Amino acid sequence: MMAFVLAITVNAQMYNVGTSNTTTDYFGNQTTTHRDRYGNTTGTSTSSTDYFGNTTTTHRDSYGNTIGTSTTSTDYFGNTTTTHRDRYGNTTGTDRSSRDYFGNTNTTSTDPYGNTRGTSTTSRDYFGNTTTTYRDRYGNSRGTSTSSTDYFGNRNTEQRSNNSYTSIWTW
């Protein structure tokens, strides 16, 4: 019985496994710097939005090498579809997001074959801060991320995972 209680306590532990900081330039382009739990830069993501509202993001490792891209399109109802590709252009997964009546965003992530990899739910408070809960394909919580935006429009995000060495983000 004691071991069972201990197992629950260990599984409930959340580890800070990374942070990111996003800045937006005059033209609306965004640059995100990703860091591990020690503050070391692990990569960057740069995003630009075209005339139609589609967003293209290029992901780079800590050496500046391109490791993949993500393209996001938004439909008439505000639902988004993001397609992730590796450095060779092969599709590695897709995220489909919809927003409910209360402003919460629900996302389903699938692999290249259409199998569900996991889901996430994002809620936004009165001040515009967001909390996202990530779940695996079985509905088990894998971690959370919390984002806040400062006076200058920069967004800071902290990532917490059930596993101290595992990132919960796709990129």
Side-chain angles (χ1 to χ4, degrees):
M1 187 66 160
M2 185 65 131
F4 180 74
V5 173
L6 180 59
I8 290 176
T9 304
V10 171
N11 288 337
Q13 177 72 40
M14 297 293 272
Y15 301 91
N16 181 355
V17 291
T19 60
S20 69
N21 176 261
T22 302
T23 58
T24 305
D25 68 16
Y26 181 81
F27 302 99
N29 302 313
Q30 295 186 327
T31 300
T32 301
T33 302
H34 306 285
R35 294 182 174 85
D36 63 19
R37 60 183 170 170
Y38 304 110
N40 302 311
T41 299
T42 58
T44 60
S45 299
T46 53
S47 302
S48 60
T49 304
D50 65 18
Y51 181 80
F52 302 100
N54 302 313
T55 301
T56 300
T57 303
T58 301
H59 307 283
R60 296 181 174 86
D61 63 20
S62 57
Y63 303 104
N65 303 309
T66 298
I67 57 175
T69 60
S70 301
T71 54
T72 302
S73 59
T74 305
D75 67 17
Y76 181 81
F77 302 99
N79 303 314
T80 62
T81 300
T82 302
T83 302
H84 303 288
R85 294 182 174 85
D86 63 20
R87 71 185 75 193
Y88 306 108
N90 303 309
T91 299
T92 58
T94 304
D95 298 334
R96 291 180 176 82
S97 300
S98 60
R99 184 168 292 181
D100 65 20
Y101 181 81
F102 302 100
N104 302 314
T105 302
N106 300 296
T107 303
T108 300
S109 301
T110 57
D111 65 18
Y113 307 103
N115 302 308
T116 299
R117 285 196 290 212
T119 61
S120 62
T121 303
T122 302
S123 59
R124 186 181 309 270
D125 68 16
Y126 182 81
F127 302 100
N129 303 314
T130 61
T131 299
T132 302
T133 301
Y134 301 88
R135 300 184 185 280
D136 63 20
R137 70 184 75 189
Y138 306 108
N140 302 311
S141 177
R142 304 304 299 164
T144 61
S145 63
T146 54
S147 298
S148 59
T149 303
D150 66 18
Y151 180 81
F152 301 100
N154 302 314
R155 190 171 68 247
N156 300 295
T157 304
E158 181 175 311
Q159 177 187 180
R160 293 186 173 277
S161 175
N162 294 345
N163 184 318
S164 62
Y165 296 102
T166 302
S167 172
I168 56 177
W169 291 337
T170 305
W171 297 103

